[in-house]
Amino acid sequence: MTSMTVVEPGALSTIQDFGRPGQASLGIGRSGACDRGAHRLANALVGNHPTLASIEVTLGGLALRPNEDIVVATSGARCPGVPHLAPFRVPAGETLRLGLPPAGLRTYLAVRGGIDVPPVLGSRATDILSGLGPAVLAAGDVLPVGTSPRPVPGVDVAPVQEPTGDRLLVQVSPGPRRDWFDDEAWSLFTTQVYEVDSQSNRVGVRLTGESLPRLREGELVSEGMVRGAVQMPPSGLPVLFLADHPVTGGYPVIAYVDDLDVDRCAQLRPGQKVRFTTAHLH
Amino acid sequence: MRILPSGTRALLLELDSLEEVLAQYAALLNADLPVLDLVPAGRTILVVGDRDTDLRSLAAQLRTIAPGEHTARSGTPVEVPVRYDGADLADAADLLGCSPEELVRRHQEEEWTVAFCGFAPGFGYLAGSRFHWDTPRRSSPRTRVPAGSLALAGEFTGVYPRESPGGWQLIGHALVEVFDLDREPAALLVPGASVRFVESS
């Protein structure tokens, strides 16, 4: 059987797919790839069905060695040392090494046939908040590779916009608790330049900047959220929720990031600048 | 019922009470809506659409759905065998102004309903209807609550599916797993289900 051995896992590499939708009422979050578009593209480049699992690599550093020839492709953050946005072959016994990407945070490595670990509740995604799904990759892990009946598409290089280290402009709309903040606070929220904090992870992007005052004190009865929710804890500094967000939250959600922009936010690196806007970008 | 915005994929229904949430959730489950997920909570229900859902027409559809009957969903209650041997049983009884024996009696006689889940996979927030439950949380939360702990907080009772930190008052432990990945379905307590606790000797 085809498999790959993890030689070095890098800072954080996890198996991901489109997660566990439709189970939030049981307290089970969706999880899955933080940058869904990049995951979908990596699969497409090797002829996989979009639902097969890929590896989400945070800041490069992953090294893998297959026991048989495999076809792989990477998307998302471009790692030096390997071709990007195009399928390529890794011969049996050779080590594939992903370098540190100069821009972007998450690289998706798809292998033809998908990572064939047993699904948990319908998905192979690792949810770092709930602990569901396969463990975070560690050196020595042997990852089974499945098979794909589809042909490898005849593309040379997929033309997509790649993540950059520039300031990111993100489209937002008022969230369910916009009214916990006055117009002045909302204006500060949509004009100031935030910086991505190093405490950010798959749960959410934590932002630092000028604190936003609230109109009301007290607690909110916890309520459901989806990815893209921008929650405002008592600190007045926003948290933008990504794939492993809690199913419900008790702090007011001031805004939602347009779903088309959440993937781009998943590529934000610590220290990078972000500005929210209500202008229509799409 | 108010409909609040929640991004490009979801709408948040806000209601005035937990009772209204349960009734509306029961109606939504039967309404065959074009949605990916319905997430009930204390005062709200999040309605999650998929890529093709038009939120404007979904909102119009949601306004036409009258509340249902929340006890209709599950006729026979789920029976959860428990032992009332929790470390906070005496404290919780004090806080509720009764004896530990009385607390144990009421907890078993109560007709509990799973109002919603959250906090962890399979963690159900169960609300009662016959007795008044309003249990303050512990002033200092535990860093480790054992898996299976039966606990009280606010108007709810619940069973911790796995070891985690927690501030609820521990009154006992369940003898069944409320969340078991090797069982189908994994979650024992789903929103809308009726539940009875039965002391096991």
Side-chain angles (χ1 to χ4, degrees), chain A residues 95-106:
Chain A
T95 301
L96 169 73
R97 269 177 207 283
L98 274 57
L100 176 70
L105 182 66
R106 298 184 166 97

Side-chain angles (χ1 to χ4, degrees), chain A residues 178-188 213-215 254:
Chain A
R178 158 71 178 86
D179 63 354
W180 281 47
F181 304 87
D182 63 19
D183 290 346
E184 212 170 307
W186 177 257
S187 162
L188 178 61
R214 260 192 206 177
L215 275 179
I254 184 176

Side-chain angles (χ1 to χ4, degrees), chain A residues 239-270:
Chain A
V239 180
L240 194 182
F241 281 114
L242 298 179
D244 289 355
H245 68 82
V247 169
T248 58
Y251 297 130
V253 170
I254 184 176
Y256 261 92
V257 170
D258 189 290
D259 200 61
L260 291 169
D261 274 353
V262 180
D263 281 359
R264 299 201 293 145
C265 291
Q267 294 294 354
L268 285 166
R269 276 166 87 134

Side-chain angles (χ1 to χ4, degrees), chain B residues 69-80:
Chain B
E69 176 62 51
H70 75 76
T71 49
R73 190 176 174 214
S74 101
T76 47
V78 178
E79 282 202 357
V80 179

Side-chain angles (χ1 to χ4, degrees), chain B:
Chain B
M1 182 179 82
R2 288 160 300 283
I3 300 184
L4 304 173
S6 278
T8 38
R9 294 283 167 82
L11 297 168
L12 190 69
L13 308 188
E14 186 177 45
L15 298 122
D16 290 325
S17 66
L18 185 58
E19 282 298 301
E20 284 188 29
V21 169
L22 286 164
Q24 198 66 36
Y25 180 65
L28 296 182
L29 283 179
N30 289 324
D32 195 28
L33 294 162
V35 297
L36 201 57
D37 219 343
L38 294 169
V39 193
R43 296 291 179 274
T44 56
I45 304 169
L46 184 72
V47 181
V48 185
D50 59 26
R51 301 172 80 173
D52 305 320
T53 305
D54 176 55
L55 290 185
R56 208 166 290 180
S57 58
L58 180 62
Q61 197 178 353
L62 289 170
R63 284 183 214 284
T64 66
I65 298 170
E69 176 62 51
H70 75 76
T71 49
R73 190 176 174 214
S74 101
T76 47
V78 178
E79 282 202 357
V80 179
V82 295
R83 289 217 181 105
Y84 291 97
D85 55 1
D88 304 329
L89 181 61
D91 286 353
D94 262 359
L95 290 164
L96 290 169
C98 65
S99 66
E101 293 74 23
E102 177 67 8
L103 191 164
V104 167
R105 185 184 65 79
R106 289 184 200 169
H107 196 265
Q108 290 180 89
E109 285 180 8
E110 182 60 276
E111 292 162 358
W112 298 99
T113 301
V114 183
F116 52 89
C117 293
F119 177 60
F123 189 104
Y125 290 72
L126 281 61
S129 52
R130 297 184 54 191
F131 301 99
H132 180 69
W133 301 96
D134 189 10
T135 322
R137 283 162 198 255
R138 285 173 53 84
S139 47
S140 80
R142 286 186 171 83
T143 50
R144 287 172 61 176
V145 173
S149 294
L150 173 66
L152 293 171
E155 56 188 310
F156 301 111
T157 196
V159 177
Y160 282 77
R162 54 168 197 204
E163 185 186 291
S164 51
W168 291 34
Q169 307 279 356
L170 309 186
I171 60 166
H173 73 279
L175 300 173
V176 288
E177 293 208 26
V178 290
F179 191 75
D180 180 359
L181 287 172
D182 296 325
R183 183 180 61 205
E184 176 61 40
L188 182 67
L189 309 175
V190 305
S194 308
V195 179
R196 294 295 286 263
F197 291 95
V198 182
E199 184 162 28
S200 174
S201 50

